[in-house]
Amino acid sequence: MRRTSGLWERVAGFDGLVDAAHEAARGKRTTASVARFLERVEPEALALERELQSGSWRPGRCSTFQVHDPKTRTITAVPFRDQVVHHALMAQLAPVLERRMIADSYACRRGKGTHAALRRAHGFVRRFGYFLKLDVKSFFASIRHDVVMETLGRVTKDRRVLALCQTILAGPERRSGGVGLPIGALTSQWFANAVLDRLDHVIKEDLGVRGYVRYMDDMVLFADRRIELAAAKDVVESYLADTLRLRLKHRATILAPTTEGLPFLGWLLFRGTVRLRPANLRRSLWRLRLRRWEFEYDRRSEESYRQGVASVFAMFEHGNTRALRRRLMEGHDLEL
């Protein structure tokens, strides 16, 4: 596929930056920094346009915090001004990346997501005899910037777009030759997805694997013979190490019959049913109880409480959880 060009003027143009500001502000317009930016959106967009066109724009300092869900992750909060630049960049670059991606890659893409990935994986569980589940060790923390830039260079030949990507990767410290992408940044999600898209094409086109689903670095290959998946694992492991400079998480690698159940995205997928994994159930019930406590002690509005409960119930609906949902709706408490 030919490399694209001519993206820069739309990335760094005034109209695109204004649109990016409104897109980045979705769901957080009441946040102080966002509200201040939007009050002066036109002069702010003009200032960003001047900095981008002159090449003087640099990322601002980020803040970090940790989440435990279930393992500890460090999340990076990008300054809103930088988020506007990220959205302006990805508004043009994401469609280019999207056109190259296989159908069964489900992270960060419109019309995809975890629920679609689960449905597709469940279809393969019912169709094939074996699965090979893989994920990448310390994925975001291990991605090399030179591999990201090589990947993006295969997609676009727009030198100013590539220079902006390099500036974002270098961060406020302006490090070169770095490793690791900050979890939480829009660009990190797309850059990481683009890197593993190269592996997707190896699996689908070179190996000819018929059943395959990937959600970020969670990958599942399906086949009717165990030996096919064992051979595929060797190829995947070599390609990750030699080309993408990444490693598999060996303790998370599973090669098993589909009749044993596939653990995927917090669920256990069997041919005849989809069950919520116990750890995922415990976290979901904890969230419900926390939100109820926050509502009862005026830490959360009624509307926010209803939305929070609805989001948990919407997740439950993607498995065989009718009895669980009935008990919760009736007000019964479940032991953690």
Side-chain angles (χ1 to χ4, degrees):
M1 190 177 291
R2 296 177 61 183
R3 294 188 299 160
T4 61
S5 60
L7 301 178
W8 178 252
E9 293 307 320
R10 297 194 296 275
V11 169
F14 173 78
D15 291 340
L17 289 165
V18 171
D19 290 344
H22 289 293
E23 182 66 24
R26 290 178 63 181
K28 49 192 174 186
R29 289 176 177 271
T30 57
T31 304
S33 61
V34 178
R36 285 195 301 270
F37 191 101
L38 293 181
E39 285 175 0
R40 304 182 65 255
V41 66
E42 292 188 358
E44 291 282 6
L46 284 170
L48 280 174
E49 182 183 29
R50 286 193 297 270
E51 292 175 30
L52 290 167
Q53 294 290 6
S54 68
S56 64
W57 178 83
R58 294 293 180 271
R61 294 284 174 181
C62 302
S63 58
T64 60
F65 60 94
Q66 290 188 329
V67 297
H68 311 276
D69 190 22
K71 59 185 178 182
T72 300
R73 299 178 187 271
T74 299
I75 306 298
T76 299
V78 178
F80 184 71
R81 197 170 189 266
D82 291 7
Q83 293 179 40
V84 174
V85 174
H86 292 189
H87 276 269
L89 171 64
M90 296 318 305
Q92 306 307 321
L93 189 55
V96 178
L97 296 171
E98 174 83 27
R99 287 195 294 270
R100 294 169 175 260
M101 291 182 175
I102 67 167
D104 283 320
S105 167
Y106 287 87
C108 309
R109 302 174 69 188
R110 292 185 185 276
K112 302 286 185 176
T114 56
H115 299 151
L118 285 167
R119 288 194 299 271
R120 183 64 162 163
H122 192 213
F124 285 140
V125 164
R126 289 181 291 196
R127 178 177 165 190
F128 291 99
Y130 291 89
F131 70 85
L132 171 65
K133 185 176 184 297
L134 307 168
D135 67 20
V136 178
K137 184 173 182 179
S138 304
F139 179 48
F140 278 88
S142 300
I143 296 176
R144 292 173 57 104
H145 296 179
D146 57 348
V147 173
V148 173
M149 292 308 302
E150 179 193 352
T151 301
L152 298 176
R154 293 165 168 254
V155 173
T156 179
K157 54 186 177 182
D158 194 317
R159 288 180 294 177
R160 286 179 293 183
V161 167
L162 292 172
L164 177 58
C165 294
Q166 182 67 71
T167 298
I168 291 171
L169 287 170
E173 300 85 4
R174 302 182 68 176
R175 295 170 299 177
S176 61
V179 178
L181 301 178
I183 299 176
L186 175 67
T187 49
S188 295
Q189 297 173 34
W190 276 102
F191 292 169
N193 214 12
V195 167
L196 282 189
D197 174 66
R198 296 169 65 179
L199 175 62
D200 294 343
H201 289 278
V202 170
I203 291 171
K204 292 295 293 181
E205 296 162 14
D206 296 350
L207 294 179
V209 174
R210 291 181 297 150
Y212 175 62
V213 177
R214 179 173 69 82
Y215 187 90
M216 200 52 77
D217 64 316
D218 287 328
M219 299 170 279
V220 190
L221 292 73
F222 299 86
D224 284 323
R225 296 196 304 158
R226 185 186 186 98
I227 193 171
E228 292 180 25
L229 294 178
K233 175 184 173 294
D234 293 339
V235 174
V236 169
E237 190 166 23
S238 296
Y239 186 84
L240 282 171
D242 299 341
T243 304
L244 303 183
R245 312 296 291 275
L246 296 168
R247 292 183 296 163
L248 288 177
K249 186 189 299 182
H250 288 294
R251 61 183 177 83
T253 298
I254 306 172
L255 174 52
T258 52
T259 52
E260 293 185 5
L262 163 65
F264 188 53
L265 301 179
W267 296 83
L268 274 172
L269 311 184
F270 295 89
R271 290 183 175 178
T273 188
V274 178
R275 299 175 186 169
L276 193 62
R277 298 183 73 183
N280 202 12
L281 174 60
R282 287 193 295 271
R283 289 196 299 274
S284 299
L285 294 179
W286 180 84
R287 289 193 196 103
L288 287 173
R289 289 173 177 172
L290 174 63
R291 286 162 181 162
R292 183 174 179 177
W293 179 89
E294 290 173 335
F295 171 62
E296 290 177 347
Y297 286 89
D298 296 324
R299 306 287 182 89
R300 182 183 287 268
S301 70
E302 182 177 356
E303 180 62 23
S304 176
Y305 171 64
R306 289 180 181 277
Q307 290 176 354
V309 172
S311 69
V312 174
F313 271 71
M315 184 270 290
F316 284 163
E317 289 176 1
H318 290 273
N320 299 94
T321 60
R322 180 176 297 177
L324 169 65
R325 284 179 279 140
R326 183 182 299 116
R327 291 186 64 186
L328 290 173
M329 288 296 291
E330 292 171 352
H332 292 290
D333 203 6
L334 298 180
E335 290 297 325
L336 291 179

